[in-house]
Amino acid sequence: MITSELPVLQDSGQDTVSLSMSMSELDDSGDVKGRKKRGRPGKPPAPNKKPRKSPSEKGSARAPRGRKANGMAQQYREGDPVTLFEVVKQGKSAMQSVVDDWIESYKQDRDIALLDLINFFIQCSGCKGTVRIEMFRNMQNAEIIRKMTEEFDEDSGDYPLTISGPLWKKFRYNFCEFISVLIRQCQYSIIYDEYMMDTVISLLTGLSDSQVRAFRHTSTLAAMKLMTALVNVALNLSIHQDNTQRQYEAERNKMVGKRANEKLELLLQKRKELQENQDEIENMMNSIFKGIFVHRYRDAIAEIRAICIEEIGVWMKMYSDAFLNDSYLKYVGWTLHDRQGEVRLKCLKALQNLYTNRELFPKLELFTNRFKDRIVSMTLDKEYDVAVEAIRLVTLILQGSEDALSNEDCENVYHLVYSAHRPVAVAAGEFLHRKLFSRHDPQAEEALAKRRGRSSPNGNLIRMLVLFFLESELHEHAAYLVDSLWESSHELLKDWECMTELLLEEPVQGEEVLSDRQEGALIELTVCTIRQAAEAHPPVGRGTGKRVLTAKERKTQIDDKNKLTEHFIMALPMLLSKYQTDSEKVANLLQIPQFFDLDVYSAGRMEKHLDALLKQIKFVVEKHTDTEVLEACSKTYSILCSEEYTIMNRVDIARSQLIDELADRFNHSVEELLQAGEEADDDDIYNVLSTLKRLTSFHNAHDLTRWDFFGNCYRLLRTGIEQGSMPEQIAVQALQCSHYSILWQLVKITEGSPSKDDLLALRRVVKSFLAVCQQCLSNVNTPVKEQAFMLLCDLLMIFSHQLTTGAREGLQPLIFNPDSTLQNELLNFVLDHAFIDQDDENQSIGDEDDEANKIEALHKRRNLLAAFSKLIIYDIVDMPAAADIFKHYMKYYNDYGDIIKETLSKTRQTDKILCAKTLILSLQQLFNELIQDQGPTLDRTSSHVSGIKELARRFALTFGLDQIKTREAVATLHKDGIEFAFKYQNPKGPEYPPPNLAFLEVLCEFSSKLLRQDKKTVHSYLEKFMTEQMMERREDIWLPLISYRNSLLTGGDEDRMSINSGSSSSKAGSVRSKKGRPPMHKRRIEEESVEGSWMMRNDTLQTPGALQTPQLTSTVLRENPRQAAEHMPDQDSEPGSDSDFVHNPQMQMSWLGQQKMEELNRKERTAMNYMKARSGGVRQTVRGLMEDDAEPIFEDVMMSSRGQLEDMSEEFEDTMVIDLPPSRNRRERAELRPDFFDSAAMIEDESGFTMPMF
């Protein structure tokens, strides 16, 4: 056994030197001459060991091949490796020969060979320094390491063990192999010479305590591999000792005459020598363990900790008698709580190697009891790899001892079979299989092996599986359970014969009868096993997608599909016959035919079973009105009617007969219902509704236009609209059936060569149906309104301008464009039914607190909003209608944020300028609503104003960082915002601010998206609306105007900088300086060329569509009527008004270009006047203008309202930072606040401990 004493590896008379020393100690190397060389102190050299050479002998001895006397290698040919490090790194030579060469060198000169080995470890750490022979002879290890630390290359943090690439990956393997081979080759003599191992262990101990990570990492790996090799030597010695002892005992027990005394003496001598060697090895291992392992298993670097744990696992498995005890197991147990998943993973794998051996379980019993709870809890580790290995370890513990795990421990693992992460689920499935489905009685298994069906060994196991599935109470996840067990229990899950017999046959005497719930669960599991076998890939939500099957997997899939088809072709009709009254069971059973190989019907002459199946499906259709069952029947008919199979004609005849019967029944019942009118009873309503449900379900997947169900459905809808007495379910089904009829007619027309009469006939049908749907939007029944809305959106999408794409210009008569009235009704419907308060939602749901109902209601509302958003995206509804959608982005972000964001993105791709106008329109609507609620005097610090500003900030972020692409759109947005702010005058007089002036503070959020030259243009446009009095005002009430002007002047051509954006501009400057600035003249040319390009585009660029205010009550700005009446300006007197912008052709060109033209013309006139008249008055005028331009407009504001300006500074800083290059800014923005528009700033939180389960 390893002794508890740590051998002191030091020079005689010197204390062990610790490397945890101060920098002052590193500076003073001291005089080290005259010190004795390293060796094992206190013990003279063994008589059979080679004596040490004197320095003169070392100098005269022949140096080994390729090595210089100073420890440096000598190169013979160009390109040959010259050092031990290079030889190992290249790995071209066999490691055995490399080690043999070193041993030969060691026999010739121990110091020179050890110097090579020392330099090998130093160079493997990435150090550029070299240990000289003088340093080796005269300096302590600590001093050598200090010297090497000073010569370490600090420019790079990489070293051979951390550098990526195949070469360095191979180096790590070669490095470990070299150490292992070295000990193996030296195990019979050299490692016992009390010099080589002492020197190496002393060096590695010192390096492992270094502050340099490279030294610590490399030396720890070397020491752990060295220890592993020594453990192997110790194990061999132990075996030899046992053999020698047996030989000695056998010889001694012989009779005196036959006993060989000489042999006994030799065996006794050999046993003594082996014991001495064993003691030596144990001392070495003890030195490494206590000197290195005990300190490094707690190292700050996770990779070093992982190395230690991995190797101690090897020792315990290799030499269990010495290491597999609680003294060593405790280190692995403690490290199970490590912060890093990499280390926890090594712990689990080390334990797996131990628990695999059943003979070791008694030694692991105490450890299992102590750390079992921690291991079980690690099955929920946040690192999936760790969780998988923890489950596998728990499975091994279960295999070794049934009593080791409690029922609670097992239940913690059971539910993981429903995990969304497939490796975790599969590992949990293996555990479940071992716990519940493993057969432990070989005799009983042999007796039951010949039985089949319900009496087979799988009969009870399938019952147990059903019970487990029901007790888990996750009945919607049967596919996940089957997928988890598929690899470990595939034989059980493919025993469809046993499953069928359990469902069909009566139980034998003494056997428990399956309950109704158990039968339903077994049918669901059976269908899931059939799907898994036929498709051979995991269910949706588990896995990254369909992978390519190997040849073996493909063959297994084909065999399984043939097997299940042959069995269920005969069994399915019987199952349907037994359960035809149970809608849930029938709906599951009717999924089975879609996994059939339908060629088996004709190839196996099994048409009679097909007839039986069709007969049962017809019975099901006649007995059920449940939508799920009817759709399953319809889908089954559709699969069986595939033209590629020969059974198509037989199935088509059966389907036609069924539809004929339903059509006659429907026409007759409709006539009776319409004739009865308001006197219709429940039977009349039921007859129509039940038949209409069946026809609607079949019309979805089958072309039933030859029966013309549209006519009677339309009659029912018209009657309901006129009389208002049609039951809502009939109306909903009639709408759906009519919709399917129209779509099938469109399919016929697009696939053939329609005549003009056919097109006109379909147009009349579509027009009449759209009118009915529009009238149904005002129905009192919510399901009818929602159905009509969804169908309207779908049909407007289908019969839009995209119908004629792809060389289908002949379908032009079928295009329908919604008028403003219909657009208005659709928008109002979305606003009334999607954007509702939480209280309204709870009232609409009722008093039930069922979470499922809330989720379903939210799902419906999302569908309504998505349907309308598609109309906006595809330019079917005017884009300004989206303003009412965009303004709810912040309030309803959790419910509809993704839909609104996608709508905004798509509309910007369609028309940037119109999208910008829509964004500012939505902000104006919110501002007007706020004015109506709070009056003309707004509290600028209120949450409502902050909400509008935050929404504007989010909108600004959507413009991205490429200001050139969004240049005109942003400028147009500012123009509309300025006109809105100055739209009305204050009735108190011009000295008071306009009522909408506070909107400029919202507009400030978009200033950072303007180019510098465009800021000046927008500022000039702003000054057109400002009077001289406005420019001089500095009161708090004028702060919106002041801050907006400041945001436009910041970063412009003027030399004045805003006090509010100083920090932002400094950030921008620091980042831009890294890229370098172009020459000033070059930048000016570029700016002039950009401006010129906008000027030249005046004649060609037109806005894609004029932003006319639509006649939609929800989209028009909700203005205060009294305010509008008092302050409505004369349209003819206001240049640049909204109406001018919309209707003036010149205004529809580039507004920026026009502003530049006006600015240039004004400058030219000013210059000409200045040249013509040099009088003092003119000069005074010009000087006055210049002084006005240079006036620091914020000086008074700073003194009057410093606190408010600091708030503005924060807003501007946050906005201006967005313009910086992403290289520095991404992380800062993410830390400030999440940007839900910028995908680069969206950070997924993966720090949770538990895993997503479903």
Side-chain angles (χ1 to χ4, degrees), residues 776-920:
C776 288
L777 290 178
S778 57
N779 195 290
V780 293
N781 297 315
T782 301
V784 177
K785 289 191 290 187
E786 291 179 351
Q787 184 70 53
F789 176 83
M790 294 299 295
L791 296 181
L792 266 174
C793 293
D794 288 347
L795 289 176
L796 289 175
M797 179 68 65
I798 294 170
F799 291 95
S800 64
H801 50 80
Q802 55 85 28
L803 187 63
T804 58
T805 58
R808 294 183 297 188
E809 291 79 4
L811 302 180
Q812 181 68 33
L814 297 179
I815 294 179
F816 285 88
N817 294 315
D819 56 16
S820 59
T821 304
L822 179 57
Q823 293 186 35
N824 185 23
E825 291 187 21
L826 293 173
L827 177 59
N828 285 330
F829 185 89
V830 170
L831 296 178
D832 295 339
H833 290 79
F835 299 101
I836 59 177
D837 294 333
Q838 191 68 28
D839 296 337
D840 298 337
E841 178 186 346
N842 294 337
Q843 292 175 5
S844 64
I845 294 177
D847 297 334
E848 297 179 3
D849 293 333
D850 189 1
E851 193 69 21
N853 290 338
K854 294 181 180 180
I855 294 175
E856 184 179 358
L858 176 61
H859 183 65
K860 286 183 179 179
R861 297 197 305 272
R862 284 175 57 85
N863 285 339
L864 296 176
L865 179 59
F868 183 74
S869 299
K870 284 191 292 185
L871 299 180
I872 297 174
I873 290 172
Y874 289 97
D875 200 21
I876 298 168
V877 171
D878 294 337
M879 193 183 298
D884 282 284
I885 307 295
F886 293 159
K887 71 181 182 182
H888 292 103
Y889 178 76
M890 294 295 296
K891 184 177 181 181
Y892 292 92
Y893 179 81
N894 291 334
D895 293 341
Y896 313 121
D898 54 339
I899 299 176
I900 297 176
K901 184 166 65 173
E902 185 67 15
T903 304
L904 177 58
S905 174
K906 296 295 184 182
T907 50
R908 176 171 285 119
Q909 295 176 14
T910 304
D911 189 337
K912 292 185 178 66
I913 296 178
L914 196 55
C915 179
K917 285 175 168 289
T918 305
L919 291 179
I920 200 67

Side-chain angles (χ1 to χ4, degrees), residues 228-264:
T228 302
L230 290 175
V231 170
N232 190 40
V233 173
L235 179 61
N236 292 332
L237 287 174
S238 176
I239 295 173
H240 289 320
Q241 275 186 292
D242 293 340
N243 294 337
T244 304
Q245 182 66 26
R246 282 196 300 270
Q247 292 176 7
Y248 177 79
E249 294 292 338
E251 190 67 26
R252 193 179 64 175
N253 291 334
K254 290 181 180 180
M255 296 177 62
V256 179
K258 296 183 178 180
R259 184 184 305 169
N261 293 328
E262 293 182 359
K263 185 175 181 181
L264 281 176

